[in-house]
């Protein structure tokens, strides 16, 4: 087994700020509001609100005529969050939301996926597993996560980690729909398909009311 550390940051890049330069590393960037251009040595991608980018190379992030708020996941070997915060970028802010240890089986080749999950009011995800661990953060609404004998409620901007191999039951508020953004690592065989596995046989024939959208995914080269 290999232990990796996954960090989630909330970054703010003001309009017309100097570009931010990120070193080589496995990461996902999701635009919470505003827009940025993500530029690597070989490509560039314009990211608008609600879109995402995954990368394993050095990356430049450039804002335009409005402030950009980003949720950025960084996967690495170090336990020091400061190693992944914005450096030499005094116009910006970078706040750690959550860090989690990920236990990854060396026998797999792993991919990183960033996606969104949207529930209707009073939605639920039956007790389930995923094929890999990661960190989620609520964009809108409210979700209750029940796992390992504990229950936690997460509102907008709240982040939590899931191990993947540990069963989870989730339910959402009746007042509104709920959306969370998720970055997790999965075996490469799951590329393009759902990683969800329903635990209880009696739940497997029930309708799944949540909607998934894969925003970006990439097989990681170190595995």
């Amino acid at each position: 087994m290999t232990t990796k550390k996954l960090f989630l940051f909330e970054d703010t890049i003001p309009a017309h700020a100097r570009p931010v330069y990120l070193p080589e590393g496995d990461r996902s960037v999701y635009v919470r509001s505003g827009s940025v251009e993500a530029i690597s040595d070989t490509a560039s991608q314009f990211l608008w609100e609600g879109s995402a980018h995954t990368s394993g190379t050095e990356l430049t992030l450039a804002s335009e005529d409005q402030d950009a708020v980003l949720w950025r996941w960084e996967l690495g070997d170090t336990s020091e969050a400061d190693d992944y915060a914005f450096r030499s970028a005094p116009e910006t802010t970078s706040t750690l939301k959550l860090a989690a240890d990920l236990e990854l089986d060396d026998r797999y080749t792993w991919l990183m996926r960033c996606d969104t999950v949207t529930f209707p009011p009073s939605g639920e995800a039956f007790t389930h597993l995923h094929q890999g661990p990661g960190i989620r953060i609520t964009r809108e609404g409210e979700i209750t996560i029940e796992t390992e004998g504990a229950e936690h409620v997460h509102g907008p901007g709240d982040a939590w980690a899931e191990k993947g191999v540990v069963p989870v039951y989730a339910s959402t508020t009746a007042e509104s729909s709920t959306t969370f953004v998720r970055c997790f690592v999965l075996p490469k065989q799951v590329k393009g398909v759902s990683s969800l596995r329903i635990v209880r046989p009696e739940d497997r024939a029930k309708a799944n009311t949540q909607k998934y959208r894969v925003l970006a995914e990439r097989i990681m080269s170190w595995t």
Side-chain angles (χ1 to χ4, degrees):
M1 300 291 284
T2 293
T3 300
K4 293 279 188 177
K5 197 85 169 185
L6 184 62
F7 299 92
L8 169 59
F9 293 90
E10 182 172 280
D11 305 320
T12 299
I13 306 176
H16 306 297
R18 299 279 293 179
V20 175
Y21 305 114
L22 296 172
E24 182 178 6
D26 292 300
R27 65 175 57 89
S28 288
V29 177
Y30 173 85
V31 181
R32 176 64 182 87
S33 62
S35 62
V36 295
E37 188 170 9
I39 306 163
S40 69
D41 289 342
T42 58
S44 65
Q45 181 182 1
F46 180 78
L47 302 176
W48 56 93
E49 182 175 329
S51 62
H53 176 83
T54 62
S55 172
T57 63
E58 296 177 46
L59 191 68
T60 297
L61 298 174
S63 65
E64 297 193 328
D65 58 356
Q66 56 183 321
D67 294 353
V69 178
L70 312 176
W71 286 336
R72 175 172 54 92
W73 291 261
E74 298 275 358
L75 181 66
D77 300 310
T78 177
S79 60
E80 298 298 328
D82 287 345
D83 291 343
Y84 301 98
F86 287 168
R87 293 180 172 181
S88 301
E91 298 166 282
T92 69
T93 61
S94 186
T95 303
L96 179 67
K97 300 287 289 184
L98 190 65
D101 290 322
L102 308 189
E103 295 292 333
L104 305 179
D105 192 327
D106 296 320
R107 295 172 294 177
Y108 288 111
T109 298
W110 294 89
L111 68 84
M112 176 178 282
R113 173 181 294 173
C114 184
D115 66 1
T116 59
V117 183
T118 299
F119 291 78
S122 300
E124 64 177 329
F126 304 112
T127 302
H128 63 278
L129 305 172
H130 283 283
Q131 304 303 294
I135 292 178
R136 287 86 165 145
I137 183 168
T138 308
R139 180 181 169 99
E140 295 104 10
E142 182 181 280
I143 189 168
T144 300
I145 301 296
E146 299 177 30
T147 186
E148 297 185 287
E151 179 179 299
H152 300 280
V153 179
H154 303 286
D158 292 341
W160 71 99
E162 293 185 13
K163 297 177 181 178
V165 296
V166 177
V168 172
Y169 172 81
S171 59
T172 60
T173 179
E175 283 68 35
S176 65
S177 62
T178 296
T179 297
F180 66 81
V181 186
R182 173 173 60 188
C183 178
F184 57 157
V185 294
L186 303 165
K188 71 174 184 179
Q189 292 88 346
V190 188
K191 186 176 183 290
V193 300
S194 174
S195 67
L196 184 73
R197 300 290 186 270
I198 301 299
V199 172
R200 295 171 179 161
E202 62 268 26
D203 291 334
R204 292 172 190 160
K206 296 177 182 178
N208 184 2
T209 59
Q210 59 265 40
K211 304 297 183 183
Y212 304 90
R213 175 164 292 177
V214 175
L215 303 176
E217 62 182 3
R218 183 186 62 83
I219 294 173
M220 293 182 285
S221 61
W222 58 266
T223 57

